[in-house]
Amino acid sequence: MELIVSVGRREETVAIEEDGQDCYLVRLGDRSYRVNSVATGPGLRSLLVKKVSPGQEDPAEKDSQRQWEISVRPLAEDSYEVSAAGPRASVRVTVEDPLTHQAREALGESGKSGPHRVEALMPGRVIALLVEEGAPVEEGQGVLVLEAMKMENEISAESGGIVRKLLVEEGQAVDSGDPLFEIE
Amino acid sequence: MTSPNSTRKPLEKVLVANRGEIAVRIVRGLRDAGIRSAVIYSEADRQGLPVLLADEAFCIGPAPSNESYLRGEAIVDLALSIGADGVHPGYGFLSENADFARRCQAAGIVFIGPSPDAISKMGSKVESRRLMMDAGVPVVPGGRDPLPDLATATEAAGQIGYPVMLKAASGGGGKGMRLIRSAEDFPGAYRAARSEARASFGDDDVYLEKYIEEPRHVEIQVLGDHHGNVVSLGERECSLQRRHQKVVEEAPSPAVDPDLRRRMGEAAVQAARAVGYTNAGTVEFLLAENGEFFFLEVNTRLQVEHPITERVTGIDLVAAQLSIAQGEPLAPECYGVEPRGHAIELRIYAEDPYRGFVPSPGRIEHLRWPEGPGIRVDTGVYEGSEVTIYYDPMLAKLIISGADRPQVLARMARALSEIRIDGIRTTIPLYRALLEDEDFLAGRLDIGMLDRKMDGGELLPKERPEEEDLSLIAAALAHYEAGERRSARPAPSGGHRSGWRQSGRLAGVRGGSWS
């Protein structure tokens, strides 16, 4: 089975083939892995990963079979928060079957220019709105200020555009995941 | 010495007026001492670890601190109504509040800490500095004497010795501050500082202080009993700070030799005696490169970083606090203490170190603490705990100890490879990066070092490109398996065992290359 996975701007095709209980042959781009995957807790899995690139095995990698314990938490239907407990705290990965991916790509261009909703990453209180509805903003420009743990955090636009809707008011308490504003 | 605690009176039940890891620490100390423990909790902390571990727990109000943990009068009333004969304030909140200590005393409840008088004397910067000078404890040369004209100022600067710092009397935020390295630069800097102070604060009074280049923060743990005995338990090095907030501490300090330890210890004991100090306290100093040290302040309470002293002295500081509060004289092992081995404490904060230390509240989805030789974890959270926005974001303290500093650094690397916290961001990646930093590894520390390095783009997490591949594969597998479950197909290839899987398991059993 093939799936389209993406993290940030990177997009790859992952092919998964079952190879016995808990075991898979996984192809990611031009690399192949044998993976043994078992649950170690809710949303937590231990992967034993062996790189198999037929014909050109790296001698240093030969016979190496690393263990990675990875947390995968579903955020929405097709997106997951993944953490390998390494230096990067966590990444957001989207997984789609090729048909869904194609359908979204077709809608894509309009989808991409459509309004994009920004959500609160942590619970807190809105203490200031820095722009008005309809105002143009540049990438990185602050849109509002959220207070959490006695610290003020400026929430900024991830890309330039027009702030179509402000979905919160000053003084309002927000929970993690609550929509804050829409940007187009 | 007359004091309400100089006669021995055992405590039966102690109310812990705090939350989080320090409340847990004190509850454990009470258990060890056979004293009944009661805790207060706010509405946000009903599921906190202190409530689960204590003998008794009482709600003291809503989540905000000023409606719960800071309600001194209500806490004393509660202590009286539940028959508690002692109150332990922990650190923060009411621990250095002289009025609260006085209120406890008036109600006939033992405040487990120094006298209200000692707290208020040490709480005032001006008064504590004067007391220390009188007691012969070195303070940072200079002071708030007015410098009305250039001649007076130049003379004062010469007496203090260059480099000096000119500061605006009503200043703050660096305005009106001038670092002057030599006498020839003084007149220009003096005029500039005054005019800047006038423009910024409408007041051109300035004062002079000795400038100490890249000092270390080194503090001495002291204990005093109600029989007039005061001892030093040696130092802690707390130079790794970000914006004046300690993040990593160690004992002993890499910069302190036995002679300096003795001199700093004697100064700390003098400082404590000057205010008739009892119970546990910490005398903080700035330590200059040349070994000169200067009094900073006294923390009249148990410190966050007390466990590293416990690790290298073998003295349980909470047990010592309780026995002092019960009127016992200091135990013989508290005298002539020399550090044995080494210990480092890492404060695990729910903050993202790579986004300006923004707080990261939320649910702790997965939690696995490191274990094994030399590891101690003091925490108030567990898997499933909700980290709220109301309180200090410190989740836990990881205390690593061993025979010497190299062994502790190796164990620190091991502990940081074992630890697992998902759902919120923490300062753990920063501590992993510290283990790659030459200055940290060599023990070359000063109070500005962490901010300097982070502002300079150092101490970044090490990229591991294969990790992103693994994240993609794990998400794809999770999605695939969820799809399998949705379509409710019978378990795929059930019963079939691949040869690869078996050999993989065998490699595991043999303890092969699992890195």
Side-chain angles (χ1 to χ4, degrees):
Chain A
M1 182 186 208
E2 286 199 350
L3 293 166
I4 313 291
V5 294
S6 51
V7 54
R9 288 172 199 278
R10 182 177 169 203
E11 190 176 289
E12 300 266 11
T13 301
V14 174
I16 299 174
E17 192 187 315
E18 290 190 24
D19 184 35
Q21 182 146 23
D22 303 331
C23 293
Y24 305 90
L25 273 170
V26 179
R27 193 161 40 74
L28 173 76
D30 60 356
R31 294 175 297 288
S32 296
Y33 302 92
R34 276 200 164 118
V35 181
N36 171 245
S37 166
V38 297
T40 48
L44 196 60
R45 61 182 61 227
S46 160
L47 303 183
L48 289 173
V49 180
K50 188 168 183 164
K51 208 169 179 181
V52 279
S53 305
Q56 43 175 23
E57 189 107 9
D58 179 352
E61 296 259 323
K62 194 169 179 286
D63 296 332
S64 124
Q65 179 173 288
R66 291 198 58 179
Q67 192 279 148
W68 298 78
E69 194 176 37
I70 298 185
S71 142
V72 183
R73 289 192 297 132
L75 293 171
E77 198 180 338
D78 292 329
S79 85
Y80 299 86
E81 186 168 273
V82 182
S83 162
R88 288 262 167 261
S90 63
V91 289
R92 190 175 285 213
V93 181
T94 312
V95 187
E96 295 165 310
D97 65 69
L99 280 177
T100 316
H101 183 70
Q102 223 170 29
R104 198 177 54 82
E105 287 282 284
L107 283 169
E109 296 323 304
S110 66
K112 264 178 194 160
S113 61
H116 163 65
R117 206 167 247 214
V118 175
E119 295 167 354
L121 289 173
M122 62 178 92
R125 204 167 55 87
V126 179
I127 58 169
L129 298 171
L130 304 175
V131 297
E132 290 178 1
E133 272 184 15
V137 288
E138 287 169 20
E139 181 179 336
Q141 187 181 335
V143 176
L144 53 85
V145 181
L146 203 59
E147 184 197 58
M149 287 174 166
K150 292 171 190 154
M151 276 189 62
E152 295 181 6
N153 307 290
E154 197 173 280
I155 311 299
S156 50
E158 282 171 23
S159 57
I162 307 282
V163 176
R164 281 296 172 212
K165 265 187 197 151
L166 286 168
L167 301 163
V168 289
E169 291 171 5
E170 273 183 27
Q172 187 178 330
V174 294
D175 218 335
S176 185
D178 283 356
L180 299 174
F181 55 88
E182 278 181 10
I183 199 160
E184 187 171 355
Chain B
M1 188 170 165
T2 57
S3 124
N5 300 80
S6 55
T7 49
R8 296 181 195 187
K9 182 177 172 289
L11 292 165
E12 309 263 320
K13 187 202 275 191
V14 168
L15 181 64
V16 181
N18 215 298
R19 64 175 302 281
E21 69 88 19
I22 195 60
V24 169
R25 170 72 187 91
I26 297 159
V27 166
R28 287 181 173 146
L30 291 168
R31 276 269 157 81
D32 290 349
I35 300 168
R36 207 169 163 78
S37 59
V39 294
I40 54 169
Y41 66 89
S42 77
E43 285 165 15
D45 282 339
R46 171 65 182 83
Q47 289 155 301
L49 204 48
V51 178
L52 307 189
L53 299 186
D55 292 314
E56 301 178 32
F58 302 88
C59 186
I60 195 71
S65 305
N66 55 3
E67 295 172 44
S68 51
Y69 297 104
L70 289 172
R71 292 177 63 209
E73 198 174 344
I75 292 168
V76 174
D77 287 348
L78 174 69
L80 283 174
S81 74
I82 65 169
D85 42 14
V87 166
H88 197 308
Y91 55 72
F93 294 128
L94 295 167
S95 62
E96 293 180 276
N97 184 317
D99 286 341
F100 178 68
R102 212 166 275 130
R103 212 185 272 280
C104 288
Q105 216 171 49
I109 293 166
V110 176
F111 175 84
I112 300 169
S115 68
D117 182 54
I119 296 175
S120 60
K121 276 180 180 153
M122 287 309 187
S124 153
K125 286 244 174 205
V126 178
E127 190 170 3
S128 64
R129 182 181 160 92
R130 192 183 53 74
L131 274 167
M132 291 308 121
M133 288 169 77
D134 291 349
V137 177
V139 298
V140 178
R144 293 198 167 244
D145 302 332
L147 305 165
D149 52 60
L150 181 59
T152 323
T154 313
E155 198 194 323
Q159 273 169 10
I160 292 167
Y162 291 94
V164 294
M165 186 70 103
L166 262 177
K167 292 183 177 179
S170 28
K175 289 253 171 57
M177 249 162 80
R178 279 287 184 292
L179 169 61
I180 307 152
R181 293 193 178 275
S182 68
E184 58 184 312
D185 297 335
F186 194 83
Y190 175 78
R191 276 188 286 269
R194 285 194 74 147
S195 75
E196 206 172 291
R198 193 183 311 114
S200 304
F201 315 109
D203 169 11
D204 64 359
D205 275 354
V206 291
Y207 66 96
L208 270 172
E209 246 177 30
K210 172 99 180 159
Y211 179 71
I212 303 155
E213 305 219 36
E214 301 187 348
R216 290 170 183 257
H217 174 121
V218 175
E219 59 186 33
I220 300 283
Q221 175 71 53
V222 296
L223 286 177
D225 65 16
H226 293 276
H227 307 272
N229 305 303
V230 182
V231 295
S232 155
L233 298 185
E235 82 283 3
R236 291 184 289 258
E237 159 91 54
C238 312
S239 297
L240 280 173
Q241 309 180 357
R242 56 119 187 137
R243 281 169 235 123
H244 309 295
Q245 171 78 66
K246 295 168 188 167
V247 294
V248 177
E249 302 97 342
E250 62 182 289
S253 163
V256 174
D257 61 20
D259 176 58
L260 182 56
R261 179 170 305 120
R262 184 186 49 76
R263 288 188 289 120
M264 291 184 85
E266 283 170 6
V269 168
Q270 268 168 359
R273 283 192 191 283
V275 289
Y277 199 89
T278 52
N279 217 287
T282 295
V283 186
E284 298 187 331
F285 295 101
L286 288 178
L287 175 63
E289 180 83 49
N290 64 4
E292 276 188 284
F293 59 90
F294 307 97
F295 172 81
L296 208 54
E297 63 177 5
V298 175
N299 291 136
T300 54
R301 54 173 163 80
L302 190 65
Q303 295 275 85
V304 176
E305 59 273 22
H306 75 275
I308 54 174
T309 297
E310 297 186 320
R311 298 308 285 176
V312 299
T313 63
I315 293 166
D316 179 329
L317 287 170
V318 174
Q321 284 193 298
L322 294 173
S323 97
I324 290 166
Q326 295 176 100
E328 299 286 336
L330 290 175
E333 62 266 26
C334 296
Y335 293 87
V337 167
E338 290 294 330
R340 276 178 64 105
H342 201 88
I344 289 182
E345 173 182 276
L346 307 174
R347 299 190 185 188
I348 314 286
Y349 289 101
E351 291 175 338
D352 186 344
Y354 300 112
R355 286 199 305 163
F357 290 92
V358 299
S360 179
R363 202 180 113 92
I364 299 176
E365 300 288 345
H366 303 122
L367 180 64
R368 194 182 296 138
W369 296 118
E371 289 172 305
I375 307 295
R376 162 175 166 184
V377 179
D378 278 22
T379 185
V381 298
Y382 49 90
E383 184 165 295
S385 283
E386 200 73 47
V387 180
T388 68
I389 59 170
Y390 298 106
Y391 312 110
D392 183 277
M394 194 179 79
L395 296 177
K397 304 180 311 206
L398 187 55
I399 303 111
I400 304 132
S401 53
D404 52 22
R405 197 169 188 268
Q407 186 182 47
V408 170
L409 292 176
R411 286 177 169 175
M412 173 176 158
R414 185 237 302 165
L416 291 175
S417 78
E418 285 185 16
I419 197 167
R420 164 126 227 157
I421 303 178
D422 292 311
I424 54 170
R425 288 175 190 248
T426 72
T427 45
I428 293 167
L430 173 63
Y431 303 146
R432 291 200 179 108
L434 264 184
L435 283 169
E436 312 269 325
D437 183 83
E438 280 180 19
D439 292 321
F440 174 70
L441 293 178
R444 280 192 301 268
L445 314 168
D446 69 80
I447 57 173
M449 167 179 152
L450 195 60
D451 286 336
R452 226 167 35 238
K453 283 183 187 273
M454 294 208 73
D455 291 346
E458 291 179 62
L459 299 175
L460 292 175
K462 210 161 101 186
E463 293 288 344
R464 288 199 292 179
E466 72 270 33
E467 196 168 297
E468 191 171 277
D469 277 9
L470 266 298
S471 296
L472 291 174
I473 291 171
L477 285 175
H479 191 80
Y480 176 80
E481 286 171 7
E484 295 286 297
R485 276 196 298 278
R486 272 200 296 274
S487 56
R489 287 198 332 213
S493 18
H496 169 76
R497 294 179 76 87
S498 86
W500 171 74
R501 177 173 179 260
Q502 285 183 19
S503 69
R505 286 298 181 221
L506 281 172
V509 169
R510 283 199 307 267
S513 52
W514 298 59
S515 64

